[in-house]
Structures are given as structure tokens and as C-alpha cells.
């Protein structure tokens, strides 16, 4: 007999909490017994990711308990802080003021209201069509032509990554699949678990087996990213029962999520570096902290890819 949505969610949440509790205890034990500076840096990075995972699980559980609208609000706030971080890294002129006001206080609320209402035909084109045509006009009306194209492109790119792409994550919960009606929140949880496990396992594998650090992201290595991606795909496959897919379909989609998420971390690291971002680093090339952009980098690429693949092959968006 199939478990209800709430029973399934509670069972999954209990398993995740036990897993993270074990990982937290193990990480603390390793950190207390390690004296090598480089290894200590890697363990610190892993523990930081685990603590971040606790926050994600807690926020998702709260959003699930309060309803889909609350979860949408959480992602809207995440987009707000990610865009704020992006803008803080970007040279801004006083003539860009109204374009940024529109981006923060009009575009973000409207995009997420459209997502919450299930208006797929609108939220799929609102930013990449209407907003992308409006903002250059608003900025041109200020008659400041100095580096105009570059300034417009930065604002548009920030909206695309921080708002449009991230908004596809809560939209996953609205996908209707025959035989799986009303269980979209569980599909969103599966997606987030695959993304987060890919990040955690890549860092853990990099610390254990990494030899060639990625230039754009020294926290990971080529070997670690590959091993972590394979392991996360396997985890997604083992959790196929949370989804409406068969095990091999879940494996393919988990592989697509992991690949897109890795591309997101790679691209966002390059974007931040090109904008002059400077992270705080521990000895051994491990960052002390990540901002909102760093926490959403994998989601920003993986969410739209998974959303559209699922809608195209299996269901429809409300």
C-alpha cells in the first residue's frame, strides 16, 4: 500500500535527520583528532556544508508544514539575497537606480507570485522576454551611455541566475504527473536531496581522493567532482521510490541534475571571480564561508533543467 504524502515525507525527513546527525558527529570527531593543517581545512569545509544542509532541511520542513506558498516565499527571499550579493559585486552607477528598484521590488515579487499561482505560460517568459526588454529602456531613459551595454548585461544576467533560474525550484512542486497528483513537494525534496548530496559528496571525495583542484573552485578537485557526481547519481537512483519515475529514469534525471549543478558551480565561480569577488580562504585553498550565490549556484542551473525535462517527458505545469 502506498504511503500518503505526509507519511512519506516524515519517513524521508527522519532518515535525512539521522544521516546528517551521524555526519555531524563524525565531522566533529575528525576535526578534533586532526592536526594536519591542510586536512583540517578540508574537514572544516565539509562540516560547513553539513551545517548548511541542516538549514536547508529545516527550512524545507517548515515550508512543507506551512504549505507550498510558504516554500515559495523562502525561495523568493533566497533570490533577493542572491541578487543583492550579485549587485554588490557589480559596478553600479546612480543612473541604474530605477532599474535596480524594478528588479528587486517588482520583478522578484511578480515572478514568484506567478510561480505560486501556477501560471507557467507567464513565469516562463516574464523575465527573459518582458523584463529583458523593459530594463534596457529604463536604463536608456537616464541617458547615461558610459558602458551601457555592459551595465544592462550585468543586471539581466543577475536576474536570470538569481531569480528566473532559482524560481524553477519551487515550480517543481507544481508539476502534475499522472498517478502522482498532489505529490509535487516530494519531487522537489528528491531534487534538493540530489543537488545537496552532489555538493557534499564532491567536497568529501575531494578531501579524500582529490589531486587536481579546480582552478575556478579550489574547494573541489576533478577527481572529487567526478566521484561525488557518480555517488550522488547513485543516491538519486536509490531514492527512485520518492518519484513517479522508474529506477533507470531516476538515474538519468539524477545524472542530469548532477551535471547541470556542477556546471552551475563552475559558471558562478567564474562569474564571481570576473567581478572581483574575494572569498576568505583557509590554508589549503578552502573557503571559510559562502554567500547566497555560492549556496544557490548548483540549484540555479539544475532547477530549470530538471523542471523542463520532467514537464516535457512526464507531466505538465499548472
Amino acid at each position: 500500500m502506498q504511503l500518503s504524502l505526509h507519511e512519506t515525507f516524515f519517513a524521508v525527513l527522519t532518515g535525512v535527520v539521522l544521516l546528517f546527525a551521524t555526519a555531524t558527529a563524525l565531522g566533529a570527531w575528525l576535526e578534533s583528532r586532526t592536526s594536519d593543517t591542510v586536512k583540517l581545512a578540508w574537514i572544516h569545509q565539509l562540516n560547513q556544508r553539513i551545517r548548511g544542509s541542516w538549514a536547508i532541511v529545516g527550512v524545507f520542513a517548515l515550508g512543507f508544514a506551512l504549505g507550498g506558498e510558504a516554500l515559495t516565499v523562502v525561495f523568493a527571499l533566497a533570490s533577493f539575497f542572491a541578487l543583492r550579493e550579485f549587485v554588490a559585486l557589480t559596478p553600479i552607477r546612480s543612473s541604474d537606480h530605477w532599474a535596480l528598484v524594478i528588479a528587486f521590488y517588482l520583478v522578484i515579487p511578480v515572478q514568484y507570485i506567478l510561480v505560486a499561482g501556477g501560471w507557467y505560460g507567464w513565469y516562463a517568459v516574464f523575465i527573459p522576454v518582458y523584463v529583458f526588454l523593459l530594463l534596457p529602456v529604463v536604463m536608456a531613459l537616464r541617458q547615461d551611455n558610459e558602458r551601457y551595454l555592459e551595465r544592462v548585461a550585468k543586471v539581466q544576467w543577475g536576474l536570470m541566475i538569481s531569480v528566473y533560474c532559482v524560481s524553477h525550484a519551487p515550480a517543481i512542486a507544481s508539476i502534475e504527473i499522472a498517478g502522482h497528483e498532489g505529490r509535487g513537494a516530494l519531487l522537489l525534496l528528491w531534487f534538493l536531496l540530489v543537488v545537496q548530496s552532489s555538493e557534499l559528496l564532491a567536497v568529501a571525495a575531494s578531501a579524500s581522493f582529490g589531486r587536481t583542484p579546480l582552478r575556478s573552485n579550489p574547494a573541489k578537485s576533478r577527481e572529487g567532482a567526478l566521484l561525488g557526481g557518480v555517488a550522488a547519481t547513485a543516491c538519486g537512483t536509490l531514492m527512485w521510490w520518492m518519484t513517479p519515475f522508474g529506477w533507470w529514469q531516476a538515474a538519468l534525471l539524477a545524472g542530469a541534475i548532477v551535471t547541470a549543478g556542477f556546471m552551475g558551480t563552475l559558471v558562478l565561480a567564474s562569474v564571481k571571480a570576473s567581478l572581483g569577488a574575494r572569498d576568505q580562504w583557509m590554508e589549503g585553498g578552502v573557503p571559510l564561508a559562502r554567500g547566497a550565490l555560492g549556496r544557490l549556484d548548483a540549484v540555479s542551473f539544475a532547477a530549470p533543467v530538471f523542471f523542463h525535462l520532467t514537464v516535457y517527458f512526464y507531466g505538465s505545469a499548472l
Side-chain angles (χ1 to χ4, degrees):
M1 183 177 66
Q2 186 182 40
L3 296 177
S4 69
L5 174 61
H6 287 82
E7 289 172 341
T8 305
F9 180 82
F10 181 77
V12 173
L13 185 63
T14 301
V16 170
V17 167
L18 291 175
L19 179 63
F20 283 169
T22 302
T24 301
L26 180 60
W29 181 77
L30 289 174
E31 193 167 10
S32 66
R33 294 182 61 87
T34 301
S35 57
D36 183 83
T37 305
V38 175
K39 289 185 178 180
L40 188 62
W42 284 107
I43 294 172
H44 176 84
Q45 166 72 352
L46 182 60
N47 289 341
Q48 183 188 66
R49 300 282 180 127
I50 294 172
R51 287 193 291 270
S53 299
W54 275 110
I56 292 173
V57 170
V59 168
F60 186 90
L62 180 62
F64 182 86
L66 296 177
E69 292 78 9
L71 200 57
T72 303
V73 171
V74 169
F75 279 101
L77 291 173
S79 286
F80 180 90
F81 288 113
L83 183 60
R84 188 180 70 168
E85 181 181 339
F86 189 94
V87 170
L89 298 174
T90 306
I92 298 298
R93 296 175 63 84
S94 58
S95 54
D96 300 332
H97 174 74
W98 283 109
L100 294 177
V101 169
I102 291 173
F104 279 100
Y105 301 109
L106 177 63
V107 176
I108 293 178
V110 170
Q111 176 70 9
Y112 280 94
I113 287 172
L114 294 174
V115 169
W119 293 308
Y120 171 73
W122 280 103
Y123 68 73
V125 300
F126 173 61
I127 289 178
V129 176
Y130 298 102
V131 174
F132 274 26
L133 292 176
L134 173 64
L135 288 182
V137 175
V138 172
M139 297 174 74
L141 288 173
R142 303 292 294 178
Q143 300 185 44
D144 182 357
N145 296 324
E146 184 175 345
R147 305 178 73 175
Y148 169 78
L149 181 59
E150 180 181 344
R151 286 160 38 220
V152 169
K154 286 180 178 179
V155 175
Q156 289 179 330
W157 181 243
L159 280 172
M160 177 61 74
I161 291 295
S162 305
V163 183
Y164 181 75
C165 290
V166 173
S167 70
H168 280 74
I172 292 171
S174 68
I175 299 175
E176 287 295 324
I177 300 176
H180 202 258
E181 293 86 353
R183 299 173 71 87
L186 202 60
L187 186 62
L188 174 58
L189 177 59
W190 179 80
F191 164 78
L192 292 175
L193 288 175
V194 173
V195 172
Q196 194 63 19
S197 64
S198 176
E199 288 289 290
L200 287 173
L201 292 171
V203 173
S206 296
S208 302
F209 309 105
R211 296 181 179 179
T212 312
L214 297 172
R215 289 185 179 180
S216 60
N217 188 359
K220 297 178 183 177
S221 67
R222 294 179 183 176
E223 299 82 4
L226 179 60
L227 290 173
V230 171
T233 301
C235 289
T237 304
L238 292 174
M239 294 186 293
W240 65 270
W241 51 270
M242 294 174 58
T243 74
F245 318 127
W247 69 267
W248 64 271
Q249 297 166 324
L252 291 176
L253 287 170
I257 292 171
V258 169
T259 302
F262 172 74
M263 292 179 180
T265 60
L266 199 63
V267 170
L268 265 295
S270 297
V271 167
K272 290 199 297 182
S274 70
L275 293 174
R278 294 290 183 270
D279 292 327
Q280 293 178 303
W281 300 88
M282 292 184 67
E283 184 176 348
V286 178
L288 282 168
R290 297 187 301 158
L293 278 175
R295 296 183 184 279
L296 292 173
D297 50 9
V299 172
S300 66
F301 269 54
V305 169
F306 176 66
F307 176 86
H308 288 290
L309 284 175
T310 304
V311 169
Y312 183 81
F313 289 106
Y314 299 100
S316 62
L318 289 177

